[in-house]
Amino acid sequence: MPERTQRTHPTVTHPNGLTFRVIPAGSYTARMSRDRRQLVMTDGQLWQVGQPVGWYGTPAAWRVEEATNRG
């Protein structure tokens, strides 16, 4: 029987140790996330983070500039 391979998703880690799964800023998942906050990473990048509805135990992050610099 073949081994199941786990899909890897890009992540970003805050200096306090929390890890977030990176999602597109304009996605439905980002817009519908609860408990949204802005975080500044060590390199100065500004990220929006939140808990997507239906995701359990995995917070998500998206770049603020992606949403504000769109067209």
Side-chain angles (χ1 to χ4, degrees):
M1 190 156 188
E3 277 186 28
R4 286 187 161 193
T5 57
Q6 184 178 5
R7 288 181 19 182
T8 58
H9 300 282
T11 60
V12 63
T13 303
H14 190 264
N16 67 9
L18 293 175
T19 301
F20 302 91
R21 182 172 156 190
V22 178
I23 61 174
S27 69
Y28 178 80
T29 303
R31 291 191 314 264
M32 297 307 293
S33 292
R34 291 180 278 171
D35 300 326
R36 289 186 281 180
R37 299 186 169 123
Q38 289 189 347
L39 289 180
V40 179
M41 299 299 173
T42 306
D43 59 2
Q45 292 182 353
L46 185 62
W47 289 78
Q48 185 89 18
V49 298
Q51 182 64 46
V53 175
W55 290 21
Y56 299 100
T58 306
W62 54 95
R63 289 291 308 272
V64 174
E65 290 82 19
E66 285 182 28
T68 58
N69 289 342
R70 297 174 85 188

